[in-house]
Protein backbone atom coordinates (compact mmCIF):
# COMPACT_ATOMS: atom_id res chain seq x y z
CA UNK A 1 0.00 0.00 0.00
CA UNK A 2 0.99 3.65 -0.29
CA UNK A 3 -0.01 6.69 1.77
CA UNK A 4 -0.69 10.08 0.28
CA UNK A 5 -1.90 13.01 2.38
CA UNK A 6 -2.93 10.62 5.17
CA UNK A 7 -4.98 8.35 2.90
CA UNK A 8 -3.95 4.74 2.54
CA UNK A 9 -4.09 3.83 -1.14
CA UNK A 10 -4.74 0.14 -1.71
CA UNK A 11 -4.95 0.10 -5.51
CA UNK A 12 -1.91 2.09 -6.49
CA UNK A 13 -0.93 0.68 -9.88
CA UNK A 14 -3.83 2.01 -11.94
CA UNK A 15 -6.93 3.17 -10.09
CA UNK A 16 -5.75 4.81 -6.87
CA UNK A 17 -8.56 3.43 -4.71
CA UNK A 18 -8.16 4.49 -1.08
CA UNK A 19 -8.95 2.45 2.01
CA UNK A 20 -11.77 4.91 2.75
CA UNK A 21 -13.31 4.16 -0.65
CA UNK A 22 -13.07 0.43 0.07
CA UNK A 23 -14.72 0.92 3.47
CA UNK A 24 -17.48 3.05 1.97
CA UNK A 25 -18.14 0.53 -0.79
CA UNK A 26 -18.22 -2.31 1.76
CA UNK A 27 -20.75 -0.42 3.87
CA UNK A 28 -22.82 0.05 0.71
CA UNK A 29 -22.83 -3.70 0.07
CA UNK A 30 -19.63 -4.50 -1.81
CA UNK A 31 -18.68 -8.09 -1.10
CA UNK A 32 -15.62 -8.45 -3.33
CA UNK A 33 -12.72 -6.47 -4.70
CA UNK A 34 -14.55 -6.41 -8.06
CA UNK A 35 -17.59 -4.82 -6.38
CA UNK A 36 -15.35 -2.13 -4.85
CA UNK A 37 -13.94 -1.25 -8.26
CA UNK A 38 -17.41 -1.15 -9.82
CA UNK A 39 -18.87 1.04 -7.06
CA UNK A 40 -16.02 3.50 -7.56
CA UNK A 41 -16.37 3.53 -11.34
CA UNK A 42 -13.14 1.64 -12.07
CA UNK A 43 -12.24 -1.44 -14.04
CA UNK A 44 -9.77 -3.82 -12.35
CA UNK A 45 -6.50 -4.05 -14.22
CA UNK A 46 -3.96 -6.35 -12.58
CA UNK A 47 -5.47 -7.81 -9.37
CA UNK A 48 -2.49 -6.65 -7.28
CA UNK A 49 -4.93 -5.00 -4.85
CA UNK A 50 -7.30 -7.97 -4.54
CA UNK A 51 -5.88 -9.33 -1.27
CA UNK A 52 -5.74 -5.96 0.47
CA UNK A 53 -9.24 -4.92 -0.61
CA UNK A 54 -10.59 -8.34 0.44
CA UNK A 55 -8.88 -7.95 3.81
CA UNK A 56 -10.58 -4.57 4.43
CA UNK A 57 -14.00 -5.98 3.46
CA UNK A 58 -13.50 -8.99 5.77
CA UNK A 59 -12.39 -6.75 8.64
CA UNK A 60 -15.51 -4.58 8.29
CA UNK A 61 -17.79 -7.63 8.15
CA UNK A 62 -16.38 -8.77 11.49
CA UNK A 63 -17.27 -5.50 13.25
CA UNK A 64 -20.60 -5.84 15.08
CA UNK A 65 -23.27 -3.56 13.62
CA UNK A 66 -25.09 -1.22 16.00
CA UNK A 67 -28.76 -0.97 15.19
CA UNK A 68 -30.55 2.36 15.80
CA UNK A 69 -33.15 2.43 18.56
Amino acid sequence: HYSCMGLKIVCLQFNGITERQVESAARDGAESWLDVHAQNGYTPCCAKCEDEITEVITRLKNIPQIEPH
Side-chain angles (χ1 to χ4, degrees):
H1 74 273
Y2 177 78
S3 292
C4 179
M5 297 185 336
L7 296 176
K8 182 178 175 186
I9 300 173
V10 296
C11 183
L12 179 61
Q13 286 299 108
F14 300 98
N15 293 317
I17 296 175
T18 66
E19 187 169 18
R20 285 184 188 167
Q21 287 174 297
V22 175
E23 291 169 351
S24 178
R27 285 188 201 100
D28 289 341
E31 295 186 4
S32 73
W33 72 287
L34 296 172
D35 292 342
V36 170
H37 277 78
Q39 287 189 23
N40 285 286
Y42 296 116
T43 301
C45 299
C46 64
K48 289 182 180 180
C49 60
E50 180 178 2
D51 289 342
E52 193 159 359
I53 288 175
T54 301
E55 182 180 305
V56 173
I57 292 170
T58 301
R59 179 171 38 92
L60 287 175
K61 284 183 177 181
N62 290 327
I63 296 173
Q65 300 298 312
I66 299 172
E67 297 190 22
H69 290 58

